Amino acid sequence: MDSPQKQTVSRGDREAAFAKLMEGQRYAWAASRTRNATRAGAAIRVARQAFQAAVELDPTLAEGYTALAELEISQRPSEAQVEEAIELAKLAVRVGPDNFG
């Protein structure tokens, strides 16, 4: 498997990845704004799916990995979720050391 830095991503896939990233951000924001646990959980699930789609479309999109890491620790995380968040954060730094997240 190629490392994310060495993969070439088409313009269309990159645009679709950014659209998915923004979609995920919208759902993550909605989850943080509701007090209803069921709605928050549903929004987080959809946000996670959007972020995963973003990094599948563009594996060089470090912000997608950062967003996934943030989701892992956003709700009372278990030890496994913290470890997953750390791994995703490491991947984000490896892919884009200057990424905003």
Side-chain angles (χ1 to χ4, degrees), residues 25-76:
Q25 288 293 343
R26 185 178 74 235
Y27 284 111
W29 181 85
S32 71
R33 298 293 181 248
T34 185
R35 292 182 186 211
N36 182 303
T38 303
R39 285 184 187 154
I44 288 171
R45 280 190 297 281
V46 177
R48 184 177 288 115
Q49 291 170 351
F51 293 142
Q52 288 171 339
V55 297
E56 288 171 6
L57 287 163
D58 183 358
T60 66
L61 185 61
E63 291 79 2
Y65 297 109
T66 301
L68 282 167
E70 289 173 355
L71 273 184
E72 286 298 319
I73 59 171
S74 67
Q75 303 284 322
R76 296 187 180 158

Side-chain angles (χ1 to χ4, degrees), residues 3 11 13 16 18 38 41 47 51 66 69 74 87 94 97 99:
S3 71
R11 179 182 175 129
D13 283 348
F18 276 112
T38 303
F51 293 142
T66 301
S74 67
E87 291 305 312
R94 188 169 54 240
N99 106 69

Side-chain angles (χ1 to χ4, degrees), residues 9-21 57-58:
V9 180
S10 72
R11 179 182 175 129
D13 283 348
R14 191 150 176 82
E15 289 173 358
F18 276 112
K20 283 294 184 181
L21 182 67
L57 287 163
D58 183 358

